[in-house]
Amino acid sequence: EAGVTQFPSHSVIEKGQTVTLRCDPISGHDNLYWYRRVMGKEIKFLLHFVKESKQDESGMPNNRFLAERTGGTYSTLKVQPAELEDSGVYFCASSQWGLAGTGELFFGEGSRLTVL
Amino acid sequence: AQSVSQHNHHVILSEAASLELGCNYSYGGTVNLFWYVQYPGQHLQLLLKYFSGDPLVKGIKGFEAEFIKSKFSFNLRKPSVQWSDTAEYFCAVNQGNRDDKIIFGKGTRLHILP
């Protein structure tokens, strides 16, 4: 069974440019989460989808970040325009039942974003 | 807002040494607790979890953690570490029935000397 896949694995862009990160969850997993880790800091929650609906987007830093999950399958996270402080590793995770079920999130390997 | 504190940012041990990584959380209500691990070059994966019942939880690869409610703690232990335990370890908490997200600590880098 394929795991959570994320693309690209590493992206280097200049301040002011746009980047789109993609996450393909495990097939059949309705719950999809985005997290971010800035170097040396904790892994911070960004948002949670249940199918195509945003269940909780309380962690989104500002309106430069836009997450979508059309059709309830893969998700994209767009940063436009990117700022220096957006650099970090963006993790995607999925689960079938959310934390009320097994409590386990399955993570992708992350997309490292470097903003110069 | 709830938070998770991991006391050690970087731990270096020799093989066969005993390990204890500290974790405290700030939320006073019902919590679910987790330890995740990230081995070099790999993705984050679940090591063990506590939802309810026996506060001593056994996980994979010989790890265990003890939930002490009065101390708001969920420390990770292993009696004898191996070189392959070199990884970064993350303590995490979920606010029981309140929401469906996990809050992570800053992580502890564990380096085992062969």
Side-chain angles (χ1 to χ4, degrees):
Chain A
E1 178 184 298
V4 176
T5 57
Q6 293 187 244
F7 181 84
S9 57
H10 192 184
S11 180
V12 181
I13 62 172
E14 293 190 350
K15 175 182 170 180
Q17 290 186 318
T18 297
V19 64
T20 300
L21 309 177
R22 172 171 169 145
C23 169
D24 286 75
I26 293 172
S27 177
H29 282 195
D30 289 340
N31 292 271
L32 186 150
Y33 305 78
W34 282 99
Y35 283 83
R36 176 175 75 171
R37 189 182 193 196
V38 173
M39 189 164 58
K41 306 260 178 143
E42 70 270 25
I43 301 171
K44 292 196 78 171
F45 169 82
L46 296 179
L47 87 161
H48 170 208
F49 283 101
V50 177
K51 297 185 180 178
E52 67 273 11
S53 299
K54 291 176 185 174
Q55 183 78 7
D56 181 351
E57 53 183 328
S58 61
M60 293 289 264
N62 50 61
N63 59 9
R64 295 186 293 104
F65 288 74
L66 175 64
E68 294 181 319
R69 193 184 182 194
T70 308
T73 54
Y74 71 91
S75 174
T76 58
L77 179 64
K78 181 191 286 189
V79 185
Q80 179 182 32
E83 298 288 343
L84 298 179
E85 64 264 25
D86 300 333
S87 295
V89 181
Y90 290 77
F91 293 101
C92 176
S94 73
S95 74
Q96 187 170 12
W97 305 112
L99 294 174
T102 66
E104 181 170 4
L105 299 186
F106 295 86
F107 281 83
E109 294 190 2
S111 290
R112 181 176 296 277
L113 173 63
T114 302
V115 183
L116 303 175
Chain B
Q2 61 177 308
S3 65
V4 178
S5 296
Q6 293 185 238
H7 312 306
N8 313 99
H9 297 301
H10 197 181
V11 173
I12 301 174
L13 294 172
S14 298
E15 274 195 310
S18 64
L19 169 72
E20 181 160 3
L21 301 182
C23 172
N24 287 90
Y25 60 93
S26 63
Y27 183 64
T30 301
V31 292
N32 300 317
L33 297 158
F34 309 84
W35 278 94
Y36 276 80
V37 61
Q38 186 171 26
Y39 297 102
Q42 297 186 27
H43 55 86
L44 273 160
Q45 56 187 283
L46 183 67
L47 197 57
L48 50 78
K49 64 186 178 187
Y50 170 81
F51 270 34
S52 63
D54 188 344
L56 185 61
V57 179
K58 303 244 185 245
I60 60 172
K61 305 188 179 185
F63 285 90
E64 65 178 32
E66 184 174 13
F67 170 48
I68 303 179
K69 190 174 181 179
S70 61
K71 295 185 177 180
F72 299 88
S73 70
F74 191 56
N75 292 355
L76 181 71
R77 300 194 292 248
K78 185 170 183 178
S80 176
V81 294
Q82 301 172 304
W83 178 78
S84 58
D85 293 325
T86 295
E88 191 161 16
Y89 293 80
F90 297 89
C91 182
V93 63
N94 160 250
Q95 289 189 78
N97 296 324
R98 277 196 65 186
D99 62 32
D100 202 32
K101 61 178 180 275
I102 290 179
I103 305 299
F104 286 89
K106 288 187 178 182
T108 297
R109 287 190 181 275
L110 175 64
H111 187 70
I112 305 300
L113 302 173

